[in-house]
Amino acid sequence: MMIRRIIRGMSYSPRVRYSTATANAPVTEKFDEFRTIEQNPANHSRAALSRFYTVPVEVRKQIFAHGGLPKNFEKQVKTFNECCLMVRQPAVEIIEHLQRTDFERPVNRFVLYGEDGAGKSLTLAHLLHYGHQQQYVLVHVPWVPNWMKRARETANSSTVDGALDLPLDGAAWLVHFKSQNGPLLNRLGLTVSRDYVWTKRETTPAGAPLLALVEHAQAALLLGQGENDGADRRLQCLFHPHTRILTENKVRITPDRITLTRPFLDITRNDWTNGVCVLAVDRLALTEERMASCLPKYLLYREGFEHLDPFVPIRVDGYNDSEYHSCIQYYLDRKWIQAAEPGFEVELKMLSCQNPYQLMQLCSSL
């Protein structure tokens, strides 16, 4: 089936509102029904469901400059000249949990799951913005399969026999961590509680700023998670069961033999306090086989499931009718689609099955 009643646009010009009463009558500005006036994610409640809010430019640059938004969505953000996220049930549910959490107890772990393209990545983006607003220290891995499938460089580990280091990927992650948390860490004035010796000439002494430790070693930073006297709450997005990295003998290495993954696996345990772990499982993250189910039990395998158990599963479904209507209205407002005939919404709903990614692809530029 071809969609002939949708004209795709490549640019957007701000909408001009005209009064239909008289030519000289004052124009009354009415807020769009598909937007919420509440821009602070900490205040997002069920009343704002299905509505879009705008992530400020400076916040987007700080949080997502080095990853965290799907590439196709980033193109849309550039075209629309704004980063708008829809307030959806999974994110609001986790925010409500966090607002009732006793952070003196072991960390709660939430696992997002759902069909391909249902919106798990943007739900994580919404929660990252919430964490940023609440002054959480974010420990965020945008897309773990990049390490497992497309490692930039490998090297034999000098500290763990038979393991491999990913030096360039580790350095890139440190840049990402510093970009997200640098201003907050400077404000909090967090310091390290013991000496770290890197070489005979290079050390990080106790009492040095935490950012000085960031410059030296990602592993020491994460394994020292309990050293900040409760000032550190974390959002964590990670798990991946396979790798395409080969040893010198052409043997495929398992994730537990990659030193970069070890600190992140440690931090997703529930043996620490004053934080939260938010993870996502995704069929697209698998290196080889195509899993029939999107449920965590299948995607994590037994080892991963036992590693995270107990956790709170949060399902991310495709758009409901209200969310679908808001998305269509947003595309119309951005002049991304233009309806030439009635009924185009029904046709797009059938073709996309109300899947957010499929709908975005159907409405994308030619």
Side-chain angles (χ1 to χ4, degrees):
M1 182 183 295
M2 299 293 292
I3 302 180
R4 294 178 298 164
R5 297 193 289 273
I6 304 299
I7 302 176
R8 300 174 176 89
M10 287 301 296
S11 62
Y12 165 73
S13 56
R15 180 173 55 187
V16 179
R17 302 178 188 270
Y18 298 95
S19 171
T20 57
T22 63
N24 298 323
V27 177
T28 302
E29 188 73 18
K30 181 180 178 182
F31 204 75
D32 299 312
E33 62 176 5
F34 55 87
R35 296 181 188 266
T36 175
I37 60 174
E38 184 53 70
Q39 302 299 302
N40 186 348
N43 297 328
H44 287 162
S45 64
R46 298 176 189 272
L49 288 177
S50 306
R51 297 175 182 267
F52 286 88
Y53 83 99
T54 304
V55 179
V57 175
E58 64 277 7
V59 174
R60 174 168 59 87
K61 290 180 178 179
Q62 180 178 345
I63 302 178
F64 304 114
H66 302 281
L69 297 176
K71 292 188 180 299
N72 288 330
F73 183 77
E74 286 183 337
K75 294 179 182 178
Q76 182 174 285
V77 168
K78 185 176 181 180
T79 302
F80 294 169
N81 198 29
E82 66 175 6
C83 179
C84 279
L85 300 176
M86 183 185 291
V87 181
R88 303 190 66 196
Q89 174 65 30
V92 171
E93 183 176 347
I94 293 178
I95 289 173
E96 290 176 346
H97 278 299
L98 294 181
Q99 292 171 343
R100 297 193 296 265
T101 294
D102 180 1
F103 287 101
E104 298 301 318
R105 296 181 178 274
V107 294
N108 291 322
R109 293 171 294 184
F110 301 91
V111 176
L112 297 171
Y113 72 98
E115 297 293 338
D116 301 343
K120 298 182 290 294
S121 296
L122 294 185
T123 297
L124 288 173
H126 189 177
L127 294 171
L128 282 169
H129 188 197
Y130 169 82
H132 173 78
Q133 292 291 97
Q134 296 299 105
Q135 297 192 3
Y136 285 37
V137 174
L138 305 179
V139 182
H140 171 236
V141 181
W143 188 239
V144 181
N146 285 337
W147 298 346
M148 307 301 169
K149 297 181 182 181
R150 295 175 289 273
R152 303 179 188 183
E153 182 184 40
T154 62
N156 291 326
S157 174
S158 59
T159 57
V160 182
D161 186 38
L164 290 180
D165 293 336
L166 306 181
L168 293 183
D169 292 291
W173 184 84
L174 278 175
V175 173
H176 179 54
F177 177 84
K178 188 175 180 180
S179 172
Q180 288 185 325
N181 301 289
L184 175 61
L185 294 179
N186 280 327
R187 237 179 4 256
L188 295 177
L190 301 180
T191 60
V192 297
S193 61
R194 63 181 178 86
D195 294 341
Y196 288 89
V197 179
W198 311 108
T199 66
K200 293 182 178 180
R201 298 183 178 181
E202 200 168 13
T203 63
T204 301
L210 187 61
L211 281 176
L213 187 63
V214 175
E215 300 292 343
H216 285 91
Q218 170 258 358
L221 168 69
L222 294 181
L223 292 177
Q225 70 220 25
E227 301 177 355
N228 296 328
D229 298 328
D232 181 356
R233 299 176 181 174
R234 304 168 190 269
L235 292 177
Q236 171 62 30
C237 322
L238 175 112
F239 211 87
H240 189 273
H242 293 300
T243 173
R244 288 180 182 171
I245 301 175
L246 302 178
T247 65
E248 295 177 352
N249 299 325
K250 305 301 180 183
V251 177
R252 180 173 295 186
I253 196 169
T254 55
D256 62 304
R257 305 307 297 169
I258 298 176
T259 56
L260 185 58
T261 66
R262 292 188 173 192
F264 295 100
L265 291 175
D266 287 341
I267 203 175
T268 54
R269 304 182 190 278
N270 65 341
D271 56 358
W272 56 286
T273 61
N274 206 25
V276 61
C277 295
V278 181
L279 308 96
V281 292
D282 198 320
R283 286 187 293 199
L284 298 177
L286 299 177
T287 55
E288 299 295 343
E289 69 271 26
R290 172 73 174 182
M291 300 297 289
S293 173
C294 66
L295 297 177
K297 183 176 180 180
Y298 291 89
L299 296 180
L300 291 172
Y301 298 95
R302 180 175 179 176
E303 180 183 359
F305 193 90
E306 291 178 350
H307 174 85
L308 293 175
D309 188 43
F311 62 84
V312 181
I314 304 291
R315 184 179 180 92
V316 182
D317 287 313
Y319 287 149
N320 58 33
D321 289 343
S322 178
E323 292 171 337
Y324 174 79
H325 177 72
S326 289
C327 187
I328 290 297
Q329 293 303 309
Y330 178 68
Y331 285 161
L332 289 171
D333 177 75
R334 296 287 97 182
K335 304 297 187 293
W336 192 233
I337 58 176
Q338 296 181 5
E341 297 180 14
F344 77 98
E345 286 191 51
V346 177
E347 188 171 352
L348 278 175
K349 179 184 289 188
M350 292 170 52
L351 289 173
S352 66
C353 298
Q354 296 179 236
N355 179 281
Y357 176 76
Q358 294 298 329
L359 179 61
M360 183 173 63
Q361 290 297 95
L362 288 170
C363 298
S364 63
S365 58
L366 294 174

